Amino acid sequence: MSLVMTRSRNLALVSGFFLLTSVPAALAAEEASLEERVEALEQQLIEAQQRAQDAESGAREERMEQFARHMEGEEGFSFNGYARSGLDIGENGKSAPGDPYLTPAGSVGGAVGRLGNEDNTYVEATLNYLQRFENGAKSHYRVMLADYSQSSNDWTAADSQLNVRQVYVEFSDLPAFTGAFENASIWAGKRFDRDNFDFHWLDSDFVFLAGTGAGVYDIAFNDAWKMNLSLYGRSFSEFPTDTNVEPETDSTDNLVLTANNYFGPVQWMISGMSAADNSERVVAGSQNVADKGVHTMLAYHGDSFFGLSEGNFKVALMAGEGLGAEVKNIGSDGNLNEDAVSTRFGVYGTTYISDNWRIAPMILAETSQDRYVKGDEYNWLTANVRLADEINTNFEMQYETTWQTMDLKPQQYAGRSDAQGHYAKVTVAPTFKPQVGGFWNRPEIRAFATYSTWSDELNDYAETDAFGQDDFTGGQWTFGVQAETWF
Amino acid sequence: MSLVMTRSRNLALVSGFFLLTSVPAALAAEEASLEERVEALEQQLIEAQQRAQDAESGAREERMEQFARHMEGEEGFSFNGYARSGLDIGENGKSAPGDPYLTPAGSVGGAVGRLGNEDNTYVEATLNYLQRFENGAKSHYRVMLADYSQSSNDWTAADSQLNVRQVYVEFSDLPAFTGAFENASIWAGKRFDRDNFDFHWLDSDFVFLAGTGAGVYDIAFNDAWKMNLSLYGRSFSEFPTDTNVEPETDSTDNLVLTANNYFGPVQWMISGMSAADNSERVVAGSQNVADKGVHTMLAYHGDSFFGLSEGNFKVALMAGEGLGAEVKNIGSDGNLNEDAVSTRFGVYGTTYISDNWRIAPMILAETSQDRYVKGDEYNWLTANVRLADEINTNFEMQYETTWQTMDLKPQQYAGRSDAQGHYAKVTVAPTFKPQVGGFWNRPEIRAFATYSTWSDELNDYAETDAFGQDDFTGGQWTFGVQAETWF
Amino acid sequence: MSLVMTRSRNLALVSGFFLLTSVPAALAAEEASLEERVEALEQQLIEAQQRAQDAESGAREERMEQFARHMEGEEGFSFNGYARSGLDIGENGKSAPGDPYLTPAGSVGGAVGRLGNEDNTYVEATLNYLQRFENGAKSHYRVMLADYSQSSNDWTAADSQLNVRQVYVEFSDLPAFTGAFENASIWAGKRFDRDNFDFHWLDSDFVFLAGTGAGVYDIAFNDAWKMNLSLYGRSFSEFPTDTNVEPETDSTDNLVLTANNYFGPVQWMISGMSAADNSERVVAGSQNVADKGVHTMLAYHGDSFFGLSEGNFKVALMAGEGLGAEVKNIGSDGNLNEDAVSTRFGVYGTTYISDNWRIAPMILAETSQDRYVKGDEYNWLTANVRLADEINTNFEMQYETTWQTMDLKPQQYAGRSDAQGHYAKVTVAPTFKPQVGGFWNRPEIRAFATYSTWSDELNDYAETDAFGQDDFTGGQWTFGVQAETWF
């Protein structure tokens, strides 16, 4: 309230002044000497200017600044979101199964190009509340609701997945923080880590660190070295701890301690994790499950297209052991074998190859051994290229071609059979945008036609996955429409 | 940020000007000649006026305009909602079963008056994000959460129906759109169609088209003819495809293509739909289920009370075959017979019959044959009148009387027996409003007393519906309180 | 839109004026006499002042006032929230079971200190829409989503509890309301009662009245006596109505009528409730279940620390019979015996004992007989002290010690055994805040170490509760991090 009152008072001053002074000035015109009248005028002008200036510099300006911050999401409530929703219909006139993870390799993170490969509705609604305190400190509260549905209906209560993915507070500009912590911010709660980054075209992160915990961002030891520290907890689903007796169940926690170091464009991430009694878990009939793990990533964030042209590129090498062998969703897989080892390599770049043509090539590949069962082996590689031809300010043609090769030897884990072969997809997508320009600006409304083909051998990998379905073999055409936005 | 900086600079100019010029002016008063001083004054006034004008026309005005748009839901985040919540207690001291669809005819869309007939909490929370782009284009993103509960408790996690009913983006003012599309807007995602309209008093739409897809609004072929085109997908629930073997299940999609034509107040809607292998579905032991359908509606939107007085009226004739025989919830019923035919007629009007009395009479009727089983027949008619007497600016007495007659021959479909008879209801509802005036302004807080009565024969229609319940036969009184709002 | 147009017009006037008058003034400078020029100047100044004043007092000011209200949550959309999220890990490296209700007494409302005793994520997201009407009336619409999860994962769809806890409208400043109702507000829908108040440190309310209904606040019979009236419905879960035959189920409603009287700092609350056929319910094999009840509370709200120093205190005596014997969650327990009686006493205070040390001592105790089974008895007392040492503007050390004694004789109700003994807990919590000062300002980010110990006898009370778990006996250390906020 105080601000409002202050403002009102200031304005009263200004208005009051005008009423009080302008009337006498008018009367004065009759009898006073020119000399007096000019002096009066000068006086009035000076006072008017002074008063006007006071009013300008008062609560009104503060409000205007506050509104500017409000509209820019820097104060009070703000709304962020991501959403995609659409249809993807096969030649049989029914929704095409699957998504970027539809191939056998997808079961271990081997995504393929997403364009024209999604028939679901996924939405994230993020509500923020930003506060500024008298001492200059800032607080950012965030809660995110998310839902995933493959139903095209408007009422999906029966299969709703709506849940709360993030709830946390983060403090910054804390006056009591000094030295290496002067510009540090601290957080606690449930969140996606700030430093996650992704291959947009595969709907896959390089690394995705998330859970419930606390951390510190932007500890600056010197100009060249910044560090972020975090502790995240993950909950492993309940599991039988004994196969002989009737299965009682138990659950456990995986605690992940992560240090993220930045040296200019170079990022070195190192994580260690421990999951209490996870070694008691029974997987594929035996108890060799990991109860600890380590994960690391060396990444480079380039501000050009590999130094060749304008754009950007990112390249990273990820490796993990034990619970760390799930190298993307860090610490989230409780079934990993104690001997599990994985190495993953990823690279992408974006640039313009002419005034209106953009290109984004990428490669993601992983090799993983003793992952769930001693002796199993998972090898896959995905290559993907997204092309866009900007026709006018509201329309562009998008093209995506993706190719994946895989050699998977799951050793019957989860009833899976060996799978060796290839998958390929080509998509053409006429795309509408409020304003074209670059790979990252949304929203988009797109139609698409996709042709995909794959080795028949891949259909035997699992009965439950897309390729395992009777009416989904060999190659196929799919057609669809989709909206996508983020802000 | 740019806007903020711009504004700050402008204001610095103005303030700075005042400081620099007013002080010399004051000193000047001592020695300069009248001539010079008057010239100085004139000069100052002109400059002051110019500067003031510059400031006015600067970033500050843009911000004020932006805030006006923000508060009017035209830019940035905006919130829309619908909600009703209350109690409806029967003579036995327990919640009265049912809602406007409580009669046997309700099972095929025959709603009755809702006033004093609702004991649930239904809420729609709609979050919008509106963007304006440099090229003048606009984007409207919308996500709607909705929940329905018959529990009076505050914690309803166990029976929560919370789900996402809409997620879509719509673009308008696209500079690249010209000719017939100059004022067109395009959309994709999951939504309620923009052109749906309803009988508020029955909680029933004339037509309710919704699902996941894409479309174009406001294609203008000429001044007299506007067309909207849309493709909506619906998901049919899983169903057994064979009754002899153990029922495996399968699901399918219903694709609905709709053209909505407007010729002034006349609307002609035509929809065709196709649902892949829905003919394999087994209903009532046989496989005569429709896998395609057609639906049409001819409507008139009147801007007076049937030309007799001020107000409005709407009248529509709807007809459908096969999957189109569900004439309201277009394309949503996968059990319809291949020979199903339905015809529905609806009309309502609203007007003032004196300074403080409003009236809204309406009729809704349908006849439907071979709907789910060859030879079945469903005929029903509902007449309803809502009356309101505006006592003062915050209070009005509302009255509703509804009558329904039905003759249903379901041929044992879903275990239903023939039902022939009548239902009647009278409700008196003292109603509080922040500001009375018209049928559409909300919120309202109402108490009500309802007396309803119906033919005993109707109790045998189904064991599962309201009338089928042991403690709910013959006629009855119910009493309740309720809040309703939309904005 | 009207406001925008008005503003634009006003500004046009001002700018227009400047252009039209300043230019002639400039030309005039050449030939007119000093006399004429001074008159012109005076005239211009007067008009300029008048015009400026008009502009100031116009739509722009309205907008600035409106924005002030908007940012202060008084008009349009506003967002409120509560959230806590964190980890609490035991010596075994796994999440510690339980929360403030983890002891046997917790099963009948006997909470203990919450600091360092919570391992869950609980969030309330409240969306408000506030309207002001031409006649001066105001409407406040509120919908609250809430979720509770013990999972540390970011995707919790499988065990999501997300549900709608509040949906209501409240009207105030109704011009038609006069006399005792002049300042009254009315509401209907699903809500937490406005008059609930709590022991923050136990996560327990003194009284928690909530449900679906309607009411009136702030009826003022005279300066000394204000009354609030409400009718709340509660839904009792389904229950078998007969033990001999195969259990059919039925559900019922509990209607709670409450009068809340305020005489200055004194509050007297009286509630009567009736639950139709709840007496048919079978509990512990017999049908002595209450179908009515009465509840009352006498409370004092102190604006000092018991008159000794600055701060506040609250003290209350609650008592209930039958369905009223659940003295906190009024009317929410349908299993209470017809002879159940409970009496609860609570008191807390907060104050500063030095410049930077705050203290908040409290006691909560209850005695309850014939609660669920004739002859059962539940007696418990909790004493808790929260201490805080404000180290600097962003950091404080928080300490909490809690002690509980209990003597429970459940008579095998719900398979529970007698439990007699003590529980004690000490927690140290280094706490970060954007700005320290008082017990109520949030957000907070805290780490904590907790040592708790209890009588072994308590482990046998129930197999299902925290103490009943194999790996949770005797005393233990837990360590954690947590965020908490409300706004």
Side-chain angles (χ1 to χ4, degrees):
Chain A
M1 285 312 297
S2 60
L3 254 180
V4 193
M5 290 164 56
T6 321
R7 187 178 64 257
S8 310
R9 197 169 54 254
N10 283 2
L11 296 168
L13 283 174
V14 183
S15 313
F17 155 76
F18 283 135
L19 284 175
L20 293 172
T21 60
S22 55
V23 182
L27 299 174
E30 315 318 332
E31 64 285 322
S33 82
L34 261 185
E35 179 73 26
E36 293 166 327
R37 287 161 58 190
V38 171
E39 258 163 36
L41 276 171
E42 289 165 345
Q43 208 43 48
Q44 277 176 273
L45 202 53
I46 291 163
E47 289 178 33
Q49 290 160 347
Q50 199 51 52
R51 290 292 176 85
Q53 198 177 338
D54 295 348
E56 293 305 0
S57 62
R60 169 187 299 228
E61 269 325 291
E62 294 173 38
R63 281 290 178 201
M64 294 303 289
E65 297 287 354
Q66 186 183 38
F67 175 60
R69 293 194 301 266
H70 181 55
M71 288 304 285
E72 282 139 24
E74 296 166 8
E75 182 170 345
F77 171 80
S78 74
F79 181 49
N80 296 108
Y82 170 82
R84 65 171 180 266
S85 180
L87 297 173
D88 190 17
I89 305 297
E91 292 159 277
N92 58 4
K94 300 171 63 172
S95 287
D99 54 35
Y101 294 86
L102 83 171
T103 72
S107 64
V108 287
V112 297
R114 76 194 298 178
L115 187 66
N117 224 346
E118 298 172 315
D119 74 330
N120 51 62
T121 294
Y122 175 71
V123 55
E124 292 174 347
T126 302
L127 311 180
N128 307 288
Y129 189 69
L130 299 100
Q131 292 168 277
R132 294 168 166 243
F133 296 83
E134 288 170 8
N135 64 8
K138 294 176 190 164
S139 169
H140 182 176
Y141 167 67
R142 166 166 285 180
V143 54
M144 174 196 277
L145 305 181
D147 185 43
Y148 175 90
S149 172
Q150 282 189 290
S151 170
S152 296
N153 296 338
D154 59 295
W155 184 262
T156 57
D159 62 348
S160 174
Q161 301 269 304
L162 196 59
N163 71 106
V164 177
R165 294 196 74 178
Q166 297 193 84
V167 188
Y168 69 88
V169 292
E170 183 170 326
F171 304 157
S172 61
D173 302 271
L174 298 170
F177 278 28
T178 57
F181 289 84
E182 183 168 3
N183 299 311
S185 58
I186 60 174
W187 65 270
K190 176 176 293 198
R191 76 176 291 170
F192 302 167
D193 193 67
R194 189 191 73 180
D195 296 338
N196 297 336
F197 60 104
D198 73 334
F199 292 95
H200 168 68
W201 306 278
L202 299 195
D203 192 17
S204 173
D205 287 49
F206 279 77
V207 287
F208 182 72
L209 177 62
T212 305
V216 189
Y217 288 125
D218 300 325
I219 307 167
F221 297 108
N222 54 50
D223 294 353
W225 178 19
K226 275 191 179 183
M227 183 188 274
N228 305 327
L229 287 171
S230 65
L231 172 70
Y232 281 96
R234 299 283 311 181
S235 297
F236 283 163
S237 58
E238 303 202 333
F239 53 86
T241 54
D242 188 337
T243 47
N244 307 331
V245 301
E246 78 181 15
E248 53 174 293
T249 65
D250 195 4
S251 70
T252 193
D253 302 84
N254 187 20
L255 299 176
V256 183
L257 187 64
T258 299
N260 239 320
N261 300 276
Y262 289 88
F263 311 90
V266 177
Q267 174 186 6
W268 178 50
M269 180 185 196
I270 177 77
S271 303
M273 60 202 77
S274 169
D277 56 5
N278 199 52
S279 56
E280 295 173 17
R281 182 191 295 249
V282 177
V283 170
S286 63
Q287 285 187 325
N288 305 319
V289 181
D291 61 1
K292 62 184 71 60
V294 59
H295 173 281
T296 189
M297 175 179 72
L298 188 63
Y300 187 92
H301 303 269
D303 57 5
S304 73
F305 184 69
F306 304 100
L308 302 174
S309 60
E310 290 193 353
N312 81 318
F313 79 96
K314 290 178 185 290
V315 55
L317 185 68
M318 293 140 274
E321 279 184 26
L323 289 176
E326 166 49 57
V327 292
K328 180 180 76 174
N329 298 309
I330 299 171
S332 67
D333 189 343
N335 289 326
L336 290 162
N337 189 278
E338 59 193 349
D339 300 324
V341 292
S342 301
T343 306
R344 184 182 289 201
F345 171 78
V347 58
Y348 83 77
T350 70
T351 191
Y352 273 84
I353 50 181
S354 79
D355 286 356
N356 57 323
W357 279 88
R358 315 187 301 265
I359 189 166
M362 61 146 293
I363 290 172
L364 183 63
E366 177 174 293
T367 177
S368 167
Q369 293 83 32
D370 304 328
R371 190 178 177 92
Y372 298 111
V373 178
K374 193 79 182 147
D376 66 16
E377 187 163 359
Y378 298 84
N379 300 306
W380 54 265
L381 178 148
T382 301
N384 189 79
V385 179
R386 180 82 67 103
L387 267 166
D389 175 12
E390 302 174 357
I391 307 296
N392 65 40
T393 185
N394 298 127
F395 183 76
E396 66 190 23
M397 289 298 297
Q398 294 188 4
Y399 307 89
E400 186 179 79
T401 177
T402 194
W403 177 79
Q404 183 181 67
T405 180
M406 68 203 78
D407 182 359
L408 315 176
K409 299 189 175 59
Q411 304 284 11
Q412 308 311 317
Y413 170 70
R416 295 171 181 162
S417 310
D418 290 6
Q420 183 176 7
H422 313 290
Y423 168 89
K425 174 187 85 74
V426 178
T427 300
V428 178
T431 302
F432 294 93
K433 308 172 93 159
Q435 192 158 350
V436 302
F439 281 105
W440 313 119
N441 62 341
R442 293 291 181 276
E444 288 183 351
I445 291 177
R446 50 182 87 111
F448 44 71
T450 296
Y451 180 76
S452 47
T453 181
W454 58 91
S455 320
D456 292 345
E457 296 83 341
L458 301 184
N459 296 328
D460 307 326
Y461 179 66
E463 288 184 359
T464 55
D465 72 2
F467 289 2
Q469 299 186 22
D470 305 345
D471 59 350
F472 193 69
T473 52
Q476 69 154 20
W477 279 97
T478 66
F479 306 88
V481 292
Q482 187 183 42
E484 183 181 53
T485 192
W486 62 67
F487 56 87
Chain B
M1 286 311 296
S2 61
L3 254 181
V4 193
M5 292 162 57
T6 320
R7 186 176 66 258
S8 310
R9 196 168 56 254
N10 283 4
L11 297 168
L13 283 175
V14 183
S15 312
F17 156 75
F18 283 136
L19 283 174
L20 294 172
T21 60
S22 55
V23 181
L27 299 173
E30 314 319 332
E31 65 286 321
S33 82
L34 261 186
E35 180 71 25
E36 294 166 327
R37 288 161 58 190
V38 171
E39 259 164 35
L41 276 171
E42 288 165 345
Q43 207 43 46
Q44 276 176 277
L45 203 54
I46 291 163
E47 289 178 32
Q49 290 159 345
Q50 201 48 56
R51 292 289 177 89
Q53 199 176 337
D54 296 347
E56 294 305 1
S57 61
R60 168 186 301 229
E61 267 325 291
E62 294 173 37
R63 280 290 177 202
M64 294 302 290
E65 297 286 354
Q66 186 183 37
F67 176 60
R69 293 194 300 266
H70 182 54
M71 289 304 285
E72 280 139 25
E74 296 167 7
E75 182 170 346
F77 172 80
S78 74
F79 182 49
N80 296 108
Y82 171 82
R84 65 170 180 269
S85 180
L87 297 172
D88 190 18
I89 305 297
E91 293 159 274
N92 60 2
K94 301 171 60 171
S95 286
D99 54 35
Y101 294 86
L102 83 172
T103 72
S107 65
V108 288
V112 296
R114 74 194 299 178
L115 188 65
N117 224 348
E118 298 172 315
D119 74 331
N120 51 61
T121 293
Y122 176 70
V123 55
E124 291 175 348
T126 302
L127 311 180
N128 307 288
Y129 188 69
L130 299 100
Q131 293 168 276
R132 294 171 165 243
F133 296 82
E134 287 171 8
N135 64 8
K138 294 176 191 165
S139 170
H140 182 176
Y141 168 67
R142 166 166 285 179
V143 53
M144 174 196 276
L145 305 181
D147 184 44
Y148 175 89
S149 173
Q150 282 190 290
S151 169
S152 296
N153 296 337
D154 60 296
W155 184 264
T156 57
D159 62 348
S160 174
Q161 301 269 302
L162 195 61
N163 71 106
V164 176
R165 294 197 74 179
Q166 297 193 85
V167 188
Y168 70 88
V169 292
E170 183 170 326
F171 305 157
S172 62
D173 302 271
L174 298 170
F177 277 28
T178 57
F181 288 85
E182 183 168 3
N183 298 311
S185 57
I186 59 173
W187 65 270
K190 177 177 291 196
R191 74 176 293 169
F192 301 167
D193 194 68
R194 189 191 73 180
D195 296 339
N196 297 336
F197 60 104
D198 73 334
F199 293 96
H200 169 67
W201 307 279
L202 300 194
D203 193 17
S204 173
D205 287 50
F206 279 75
V207 288
F208 182 71
L209 176 62
T212 305
V216 188
Y217 288 125
D218 301 325
I219 307 168
F221 297 107
N222 54 50
D223 294 354
W225 178 20
K226 274 190 180 184
M227 183 187 274
N228 306 327
L229 287 172
S230 65
L231 172 71
Y232 282 96
R234 300 282 312 181
S235 296
F236 283 161
S237 57
E238 301 200 335
F239 54 86
T241 55
D242 188 338
T243 47
N244 308 330
V245 301
E246 77 182 15
E248 52 174 292
T249 64
D250 195 4
S251 69
T252 193
D253 302 84
N254 188 18
L255 299 177
V256 184
L257 187 62
T258 299
N260 239 320
N261 299 276
Y262 289 88
F263 310 91
V266 176
Q267 174 186 4
W268 178 51
M269 180 184 195
I270 177 76
S271 303
M273 60 202 77
S274 169
D277 56 6
N278 199 52
S279 56
E280 295 174 17
R281 183 190 296 252
V282 177
V283 170
S286 64
Q287 285 187 325
N288 304 321
V289 181
D291 61 3
K292 62 185 70 60
V294 59
H295 173 282
T296 189
M297 175 179 73
L298 188 64
Y300 187 93
H301 303 269
D303 58 3
S304 73
F305 184 69
F306 304 100
L308 302 173
S309 61
E310 291 193 354
N312 81 318
F313 79 96
K314 290 178 185 290
V315 55
L317 186 67
M318 292 139 276
E321 279 183 26
L323 289 175
E326 166 49 57
V327 293
K328 180 180 77 173
N329 298 308
I330 298 171
S332 67
D333 189 343
N335 289 324
L336 290 163
N337 190 278
E338 57 193 350
D339 300 324
V341 292
S342 301
T343 306
R344 184 183 288 202
F345 171 78
V347 58
Y348 84 77
T350 69
T351 192
Y352 273 84
I353 50 181
S354 79
D355 287 355
N356 57 322
W357 279 88
R358 318 187 297 266
I359 188 166
M362 60 147 291
I363 289 172
L364 183 63
E366 178 174 293
T367 176
S368 168
Q369 292 82 31
D370 305 328
R371 191 177 177 92
Y372 299 111
V373 179
K374 194 78 182 147
D376 67 16
E377 188 163 359
Y378 298 83
N379 299 307
W380 55 266
L381 179 148
T382 301
N384 189 76
V385 179
R386 181 82 67 104
L387 266 166
D389 176 11
E390 302 174 357
I391 307 296
N392 64 41
T393 186
N394 297 129
F395 183 76
E396 66 189 22
M397 288 297 298
Q398 294 189 3
Y399 307 88
E400 186 178 82
T401 176
T402 194
W403 177 79
Q404 184 181 67
T405 179
M406 68 203 80
D407 182 0
L408 314 176
K409 299 189 175 61
Q411 304 286 9
Q412 307 312 315
Y413 171 69
R416 295 170 181 163
S417 309
D418 289 6
Q420 183 175 8
H422 313 292
Y423 167 90
K425 174 188 85 74
V426 178
T427 300
V428 179
T431 302
F432 294 93
K433 307 173 95 157
Q435 192 157 349
V436 302
F439 280 105
W440 313 119
N441 62 341
R442 292 291 180 279
E444 288 184 350
I445 291 177
R446 49 182 89 112
F448 44 71
T450 295
Y451 179 77
S452 46
T453 180
W454 58 90
S455 319
D456 293 345
E457 295 83 343
L458 301 184
N459 296 328
D460 306 326
Y461 179 67
E463 288 184 359
T464 55
D465 73 0
F467 289 2
Q469 299 187 21
D470 305 347
D471 59 351
F472 193 70
T473 53
Q476 68 153 21
W477 280 95
T478 66
F479 306 88
V481 291
Q482 187 182 42
E484 183 181 52
T485 191
W486 62 67
F487 56 87
Chain C
M1 283 316 291
S2 61
L3 255 180
V4 193
M5 289 163 57
T6 321
R7 185 177 67 256
S8 311
R9 197 169 53 255
N10 282 3
L11 296 168
L13 284 176
V14 183
S15 314
F17 156 75
F18 284 136
L19 284 174
L20 293 172
T21 59
S22 55
V23 181
L27 299 175
E30 314 321 331
E31 63 287 322
S33 81
L34 262 185
E35 177 72 25
E36 293 166 328
R37 288 160 58 190
V38 170
E39 258 163 38
L41 276 170
E42 287 165 346
Q43 208 42 49
Q44 277 177 275
L45 203 54
I46 291 162
E47 289 177 32
Q49 290 159 346
Q50 201 49 56
R51 291 292 178 86
Q53 197 177 339
D54 296 346
E56 294 304 0
S57 61
R60 168 187 299 230
E61 268 326 292
E62 293 173 38
R63 281 290 178 202
M64 294 302 290
E65 297 286 354
Q66 186 182 36
F67 176 60
R69 293 195 300 268
H70 181 55
M71 289 304 286
E72 280 139 24
E74 296 166 9
E75 183 170 345
F77 172 81
S78 74
F79 182 49
N80 296 108
Y82 170 82
R84 66 172 180 267
S85 181
L87 297 172
D88 190 17
I89 305 297
E91 291 159 276
N92 59 2
K94 300 172 62 172
S95 285
D99 55 35
Y101 294 86
L102 84 172
T103 72
S107 65
V108 288
V112 297
R114 76 194 297 176
L115 188 66
N117 224 347
E118 298 172 314
D119 74 331
N120 51 61
T121 294
Y122 176 70
V123 55
E124 292 174 349
T126 303
L127 311 180
N128 307 288
Y129 189 68
L130 298 101
Q131 292 168 278
R132 293 166 167 246
F133 295 82
E134 286 170 10
N135 65 8
K138 294 176 189 165
S139 170
H140 182 176
Y141 168 66
R142 165 167 285 179
V143 54
M144 174 196 277
L145 306 180
D147 184 44
Y148 175 90
S149 173
Q150 283 190 290
S151 170
S152 296
N153 296 340
D154 60 295
W155 184 263
T156 57
D159 62 349
S160 173
Q161 301 269 303
L162 195 59
N163 71 105
V164 177
R165 294 196 74 179
Q166 297 194 85
V167 189
Y168 70 87
V169 293
E170 184 170 325
F171 305 158
S172 61
D173 302 87
L174 299 170
F177 278 29
T178 57
F181 289 84
E182 184 169 2
N183 298 312
S185 57
I186 59 174
W187 65 270
K190 178 177 292 199
R191 74 176 294 170
F192 302 167
D193 194 68
R194 188 190 74 179
D195 297 338
N196 298 335
F197 60 104
D198 73 333
F199 292 96
H200 169 68
W201 306 280
L202 299 195
D203 192 18
S204 173
D205 287 50
F206 278 77
V207 288
F208 182 72
L209 177 62
T212 304
V216 188
Y217 288 125
D218 301 325
I219 308 167
F221 298 107
N222 55 49
D223 294 353
W225 178 21
K226 274 191 179 181
M227 182 187 272
N228 307 327
L229 286 172
S230 65
L231 171 71
Y232 281 97
R234 301 280 313 180
S235 296
F236 283 161
S237 57
E238 301 201 335
F239 55 85
T241 55
D242 189 334
T243 46
N244 308 330
V245 301
E246 78 182 15
E248 53 174 293
T249 64
D250 195 4
S251 70
T252 194
D253 301 84
N254 187 20
L255 299 176
V256 184
L257 187 63
T258 299
N260 240 320
N261 299 277
Y262 289 87
F263 311 91
V266 176
Q267 174 186 5
W268 177 51
M269 181 185 195
I270 176 77
S271 304
M273 61 202 77
S274 168
D277 56 4
N278 199 53
S279 57
E280 295 173 17
R281 182 191 295 252
V282 177
V283 171
S286 62
Q287 284 187 326
N288 305 320
V289 181
D291 61 2
K292 62 184 71 61
V294 60
H295 173 282
T296 190
M297 175 179 72
L298 188 64
Y300 187 92
H301 302 269
D303 58 4
S304 73
F305 183 69
F306 303 100
L308 303 173
S309 61
E310 290 192 354
N312 81 317
F313 79 97
K314 291 178 184 290
V315 55
L317 185 67
M318 291 139 277
E321 279 183 26
L323 289 175
E326 167 49 59
V327 291
K328 181 181 75 174
N329 298 310
I330 300 171
S332 67
D333 189 342
N335 289 324
L336 291 163
N337 189 279
E338 58 193 351
D339 300 325
V341 292
S342 301
T343 307
R344 184 182 288 202
F345 171 79
V347 58
Y348 83 76
T350 69
T351 192
Y352 273 83
I353 51 181
S354 79
D355 286 356
N356 58 321
W357 280 87
R358 322 186 293 267
I359 189 167
M362 61 145 292
I363 289 173
L364 184 63
E366 178 174 292
T367 177
S368 168
Q369 293 82 31
D370 305 327
R371 191 177 176 92
Y372 299 110
V373 179
K374 192 82 182 145
D376 66 16
E377 188 164 358
Y378 298 84
N379 299 307
W380 55 266
L381 179 147
T382 301
N384 189 76
V385 179
R386 180 81 67 102
L387 265 166
D389 176 12
E390 301 174 357
I391 308 295
N392 63 41
T393 185
N394 298 127
F395 184 75
E396 65 189 22
M397 289 298 296
Q398 293 189 3
Y399 307 89
E400 184 177 82
T401 177
T402 195
W403 178 79
Q404 184 182 67
T405 179
M406 68 204 79
D407 182 1
L408 315 176
K409 299 188 175 59
Q411 305 286 10
Q412 308 311 317
Y413 171 70
R416 295 170 181 164
S417 311
D418 290 6
Q420 184 175 8
H422 313 292
Y423 167 90
K425 174 185 86 73
V426 178
T427 300
V428 179
T431 302
F432 294 92
K433 308 173 95 158
Q435 192 158 349
V436 302
F439 281 104
W440 314 120
N441 62 341
R442 292 290 182 277
E444 288 183 351
I445 291 177
R446 49 181 89 112
F448 43 72
T450 295
Y451 179 77
S452 47
T453 181
W454 57 91
S455 319
D456 293 344
E457 296 82 342
L458 300 184
N459 296 329
D460 306 327
Y461 179 68
E463 289 184 358
T464 56
D465 72 1
F467 290 3
Q469 299 187 20
D470 306 345
D471 60 350
F472 193 69
T473 53
Q476 69 153 20
W477 280 95
T478 66
F479 305 89
V481 292
Q482 188 182 42
E484 183 181 52
T485 190
W486 63 67
F487 57 87

